[in-house]
Amino acid sequence: MNDLVRQHTALSDSDLEWLHLLVSEWQLLSDLSFADLVLWVPTLDGTRYVSVAQMRPNTGPTSYQDDMVGHLVPRGRRPLLDAALDEGRIVREGDPEWREEVPVRVESIPVRREGRVLGVIARNTNLLTVRTPSRLELTYLQSASDLAQMIAAGTFPFPGEQVDMDSSPRAGDGLVRLDAEGVVQYASPNALSAYHRLGLAADLVGQHLGQITAELAPSRGPVDEALVKLASGYAPREFEVEGNGGVIQLRAIPLKPKGTRIGSLVLLRDVTELRRRERELITKDATIREIHHRVKNNLQTVAALLRLQARRMDSDRGREALNEAVRRVGSIAIVHETLSQNLDERVEFDEIADRVIAMVAEISPGKVTCRRNGRFGILDAEVATPLSMVLTEILQNALEHAFAQGEQGTVEVSAVRGETRADARLLITVQDDGRGLPEGFDPQRAGNLGLQIVRTLVEGELGGSFDMLPGAERGTKVVLDLPVRPQK
């Protein structure tokens, strides 16, 4: 819609925002009308109309099999559009149109904002299945007529109220029509069932909806006056009511077709099972985070014990082996600490990489500089845990073997992440400017325990490849190529 409006019309950005607000709401008008809606806007030169949006009803057959968005028609071809635009009124005159042997009743509703008519909604009703309407259908049609008059007057949609149509109740979920005093004139079967879920034993018709809702909702003190007012439909609001083990989502829409409030529409939906599942998921998420937190604590305890044991070792080699174990356990603890703060089993690995680099760099303080370039991005937990160990081993190996005692140097960790599904790989390079590889060194066979761990994790758990190469000028370059899940 943005492109069509800006390409063909003279509407301002604020006018376009109003049309977006209207389109976010007009599924309700379409369902209540049992009709297709097409929004036509006059072009910049005023000689044509362009259709910028379309909506089909969930409650009846469509009148348009084809997509109408983007169509251009000259003024004069559709007189009802001309009359609604020029006169600023709802136009219903004229005989039904025949489209592919289907009779269609066409009406035009001007879209007004701040006294100006921005465009026209063509409401197209398929008459092929017309029959004697039920009480529910009559209520739908009357409510649709009221909303159409409010659109023509510029009082609907409600400014400042942004509705999420994916989660907001719809007409078919449950509908209650109230008079100006908040008394129920009609309640659909789904609406009545929802209130029975809250504990209502009687019928809704003739009851004051606000009072009944407040009585069904548990309260420690007097009747909640705010809830009474909300459920009575005095203001456009969306809210939830919980009682008797049930949860009902309600949306109130005041009806002011001629500027004066004549009543309200209340759309409602029973969301009891949905909220129950959400609470279960929240509980499970909290449990998983608590498990990660406890694992992190346990690993830190193990690291502390190994550190204490290392201090009591007389052998330098034994002490160093225990310190290496401390760093390995610490790298896993960092991942679990990050997971304990997340809502899912995915982590932002850049923070983990920085903490691993800082932890390993402690073995040569002030001599070798470690830094990171690029972004690892978001990784699954089953990738992050072994990768943190791999990164620890590679950095530890570089700091221990690439530089002599007290020698200054640099170790740089670079990450390049493929952003597309076809390029879902993570390329990691660890480059140092140290003494380089020994002559005849084969990284796939030779090496200490650390390199054996790296090979096992990279090729076994991560399904990637690992290689060690001489640097371009000096030093050593380690290259990891890993498959990862796309971030988006």
Side-chain angles (χ1 to χ4, degrees):
M1 185 166 71
N2 287 351
D3 293 340
L4 289 170
V5 168
R6 287 169 179 154
Q7 179 182 354
H8 295 285
T9 77
L11 296 182
S12 64
D13 288 342
S14 57
D15 292 334
L16 180 57
E17 283 300 315
W18 182 263
L19 296 184
H20 274 295
L21 189 59
L22 172 65
V23 168
S24 72
E25 293 272 24
W26 71 343
Q27 179 71 66
L28 174 61
L29 178 62
S30 178
D31 290 345
L32 294 176
S33 303
F34 308 96
D36 290 74
L37 306 178
V38 180
L39 177 58
W40 297 92
V41 180
T43 57
L44 183 62
D45 58 10
T47 61
R48 296 179 296 174
Y49 297 98
V50 58
S51 58
V52 297
Q54 179 179 2
M55 179 58 66
R56 292 183 174 88
N58 294 319
T59 52
T62 183
S63 302
Y64 287 111
Q65 298 298 327
D66 299 326
D67 187 3
M68 294 296 296
V69 175
H71 283 217
L72 289 161
V73 297
R75 275 183 66 96
R77 180 173 296 178
R78 301 193 177 184
L80 297 185
L81 294 182
D82 298 339
L85 182 69
D86 297 338
E87 302 173 24
R89 65 181 180 90
I90 299 175
V91 182
R92 297 189 176 92
E93 300 89 356
D95 297 326
E97 297 180 2
W98 287 84
R99 299 175 188 163
E100 298 180 357
E101 299 183 355
V102 175
V104 177
R105 182 175 64 243
V106 181
E107 305 168 79
S108 295
I109 305 168
V111 177
R112 192 183 304 272
R113 175 180 179 265
E114 297 179 350
R116 297 180 299 112
V117 178
L118 306 181
V120 179
I121 295 176
R123 181 163 56 177
N124 304 268
T125 307
N126 188 323
L127 300 177
L128 198 61
T129 58
V130 168
R131 54 185 173 78
T132 303
S134 64
R135 178 75 188 280
L136 176 119
E137 291 168 333
L138 289 173
T139 303
Y140 272 29
L141 293 171
Q142 180 58 53
S143 301
S145 177
D146 294 335
L147 288 177
Q149 292 183 56
M150 291 169 65
I151 292 173
T155 57
F156 185 83
F158 303 108
E161 188 196 19
Q162 192 68 39
V163 177
D164 184 357
M165 293 308 298
D166 291 334
S167 61
S168 184
R170 299 194 176 189
D173 297 325
L175 179 143
V176 176
R177 173 91 185 207
L178 308 179
D179 64 14
E181 303 301 321
V183 176
V184 177
Q185 294 179 310
Y186 175 78
S188 71
N190 284 347
L192 187 58
S193 296
Y195 266 82
H196 285 167
R197 188 72 175 263
L198 287 180
L200 179 68
D203 194 1
L204 269 177
V205 176
Q207 304 269 17
H208 190 282
L209 188 67
Q211 293 287 351
I212 284 291
T213 304
E215 290 171 6
L216 293 172
S219 177
R220 296 179 181 176
V223 172
D224 189 341
E225 294 298 331
L227 182 57
V228 172
K229 202 167 187 66
L230 283 173
S232 299
Y234 284 96
R237 293 288 187 275
E238 192 168 312
F239 56 99
E240 286 188 3
V241 175
E242 184 170 356
N244 194 41
V247 184
I248 306 300
Q249 183 183 17
L250 300 98
R251 183 190 174 199
I253 303 173
L255 296 176
K256 303 176 181 179
K258 296 182 180 179
T260 303
R261 182 174 170 275
I262 63 168
S264 304
L265 272 185
V266 177
L267 306 178
L268 55 95
R269 177 171 58 183
D270 184 349
V271 293
T272 305
E273 293 304 314
L274 178 62
R275 296 294 176 260
R276 182 184 63 81
R277 289 196 296 270
E278 287 177 351
R279 287 166 185 159
E280 288 180 351
L281 288 174
I282 291 172
T283 302
K284 289 178 181 178
D285 287 340
T287 302
I288 292 171
R289 289 199 298 274
E290 178 62 22
I291 290 172
H292 284 301
H293 181 71
R294 294 188 182 187
V295 170
K296 182 263 298 183
N297 288 343
N298 291 338
L299 289 172
Q300 288 180 339
T301 301
V302 171
L305 292 173
L306 291 173
R307 197 176 291 113
L308 287 173
Q309 186 66 46
R311 291 172 184 169
R312 295 175 178 269
M313 291 289 293
D314 296 328
S315 168
D316 291 340
R317 292 188 62 184
R319 188 183 306 111
E320 183 56 35
L322 287 176
N323 286 331
E324 287 183 4
V326 168
R327 286 189 285 272
R328 287 165 185 156
V329 172
S331 67
I332 302 174
I334 290 172
V335 177
H336 282 282
E337 182 180 1
T338 305
L339 288 169
S340 70
Q341 301 168 1
N342 287 4
L343 294 176
D344 56 16
E345 290 292 289
R346 307 193 79 193
V347 295
E348 179 65 61
F349 196 79
D350 294 320
E351 179 185 352
I352 294 174
D354 291 340
R355 293 180 63 180
V356 167
I357 291 171
M359 178 184 67
V360 178
E362 292 177 358
I363 65 177
S364 58
K367 302 299 181 182
V368 179
T369 301
C370 297
R371 59 171 178 260
R372 173 178 64 86
N373 289 322
R375 292 189 69 251
F376 288 85
I378 298 173
L379 298 176
D380 295 331
E382 56 265 28
V383 174
T385 301
L387 182 56
S388 67
M389 286 194 65
V390 167
L391 195 57
T392 300
E393 296 298 336
I394 293 174
L395 289 170
Q396 188 168 285
N397 189 70
L399 292 173
E400 287 182 356
H401 302 292
F403 306 96
Q405 185 68 28
E407 184 181 1
Q408 294 186 354
T410 301
V411 178
E412 183 173 304
V413 180
S414 301
V416 178
R417 179 77 177 262
E419 296 295 335
T420 64
R421 190 171 296 276
D423 185 30
R425 302 194 71 81
L426 176 62
L427 184 65
I428 304 169
T429 304
V430 181
Q431 172 80 56
D432 67 66
D433 56 2
R435 68 185 67 174
L437 295 173
E439 187 175 350
F441 180 81
D442 184 358
Q444 301 303 326
R445 296 184 180 181
N448 54 20
L449 175 62
L451 288 181
Q452 293 176 25
I453 292 174
V454 169
R455 285 196 295 267
T456 300
L457 292 177
V458 170
E459 297 172 0
E461 287 199 34
L462 297 175
S465 62
F466 158 74
D467 200 5
M468 294 182 71
L469 308 167
E473 298 181 0
R474 57 175 298 183
T476 304
K477 179 169 69 173
V478 179
V479 180
L480 305 176
D481 188 358
L482 309 176
V484 292
R485 186 151 63 105
Q487 296 187 86
K488 298 180 180 179

